């Protein structure tokens, strides 16, 4: 069966390769431009990220709802979030290397600043939907890598309250992310 605009989603759901090939041909350029925008300066990561995007579409096609958004928007959201994950992963690799062993050129420092600013901007935009106290909890736990005990003691909140705020915040972030995909 030949894939087309009307049947490629059902082909992917049936695990037929023709469906994902159609996505690669029709939407590959759009997805790649999204990835290249986010992973500027890391061309060696673009192809790997693209593979993960297509794999993510293949594995998560069941979560696509044509009533909520177009496939193009949904796939663009998958690409955007995958590229941000790569930025985070690349940033962590930079932090794990011994700075004494690595000589940074001006280009590497600029790239590092670009990665940091992109992550910071995306994180700020994502956390803006939370209340200030919840935003502080998320920043301390997920950005500064503090444990729940420390956050609980320093903010004067019971541990269960911190866990509840994290749980509610995650739900709110998920709903905001799904809403932005539409």
């Amino acid at each position: 069966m030949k894939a087309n605009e009307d049947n490629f989603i059902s082909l992917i759901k049936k695990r037929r390769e023709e469906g994902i090939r159609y996505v690669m041909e029709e939407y590959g350029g759009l997805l790649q431009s999204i990835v290249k925008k986010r992973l500027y300066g890391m061309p060696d990561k673009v192809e790997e990220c693209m593979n993960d995007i297509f794999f993510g579409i293949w594995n998560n096609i069941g979560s696509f709802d044509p009533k909520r958004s177009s496939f193009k928007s949904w796939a663009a959201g998958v690409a955007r979030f995958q590229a941000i994950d790569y930025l985070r992963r690349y940033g962590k690799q930079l932090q794990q290397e011994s700075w004494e062993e690595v000589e940074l050129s001006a280009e590497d420092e600029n790239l590092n600043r670009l990665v940091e600013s992109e992550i910071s901007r995306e994180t700020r935009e994502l956390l803006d939907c939370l209340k200030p106290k919840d935003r502080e909890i998320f920043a301390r736990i997920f950005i500064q890598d503090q444990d729940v005990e420390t956050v609980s003691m320093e903010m004067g909140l019971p541990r269960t309250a911190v866990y509840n705020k994290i749980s509610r915040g995650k739900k709110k972030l998920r709903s905001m992310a799904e809403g932005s995909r539409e």
Side-chain angles (χ1 to χ4, degrees):
M1 174 180 269
K2 180 126 172 98
N4 59 40
E5 188 67 32
D6 299 324
N7 69 356
F8 75 96
I9 294 171
S10 63
L11 287 173
I12 295 172
K13 286 180 179 179
K14 293 175 184 174
R15 298 300 189 213
R16 303 270 312 268
E17 288 183 26
E18 297 91 349
I20 199 69
R21 278 195 207 117
Y22 180 83
V23 171
M24 289 175 181
E25 292 169 6
E26 292 298 314
Y27 299 99
L30 168 70
L31 301 178
Q32 190 171 32
S33 69
I34 292 169
V35 170
K36 284 184 175 181
K37 178 183 173 191
R38 296 280 192 274
L39 299 182
Y40 173 78
M42 295 186 290
D44 56 321
K45 302 290 183 190
V46 171
E47 186 176 340
E48 182 182 345
C49 185
M50 290 296 295
N51 289 339
D52 285 347
I53 290 166
F54 292 126
F55 188 67
I57 290 170
W58 177 264
N59 283 333
N60 299 302
I61 193 68
S63 68
F64 168 65
D65 183 3
K67 295 174 188 163
R68 295 183 68 186
S69 67
S70 67
F71 179 81
K72 182 178 180 180
S73 298
W74 181 78
V78 171
R80 187 172 61 247
F81 288 116
Q82 189 67 42
I84 291 169
D85 285 345
Y86 267 73
L87 275 176
R88 288 190 186 113
R89 196 175 309 152
Y90 182 75
K92 285 183 181 179
Q93 286 175 354
L94 285 179
Q95 291 173 356
Q96 290 174 353
E97 291 178 5
S98 170
W99 292 106
E100 296 168 354
E101 298 172 10
V102 178
E103 270 188 51
L104 291 178
S105 68
E107 182 179 315
D108 290 338
E109 289 176 20
N110 289 337
L111 176 61
N112 193 19
R113 276 195 294 271
L114 178 67
V115 168
E116 290 292 326
S117 69
E118 183 69 20
I119 291 172
S120 296
R121 184 182 63 79
E122 293 282 340
T123 303
R124 274 193 311 274
E125 288 175 6
L126 191 62
L127 295 180
D128 277 346
C129 69
L130 299 176
K131 294 177 184 173
K133 196 172 212 173
D134 295 348
R135 197 177 311 140
E136 182 181 351
I137 290 171
F138 266 74
R140 285 176 171 228
I141 291 176
F142 297 108
I143 297 171
Q144 299 169 7
D145 288 331
Q146 292 182 359
D147 60 24
V148 173
E149 284 293 326
T150 306
V151 172
S152 171
M153 288 181 358
E154 290 179 1
M155 294 184 73
L157 295 169
R159 230 171 31 136
T160 55
V162 173
Y163 281 118
N164 287 340
K165 288 183 178 290
I166 291 170
S167 177
R168 285 190 206 115
K170 283 182 177 180
K171 286 179 186 174
K172 190 168 189 176
L173 290 173
R174 271 189 216 108
S175 70
M176 294 296 292
E178 290 172 359
S180 70
R181 289 180 187 164
E182 292 176 6

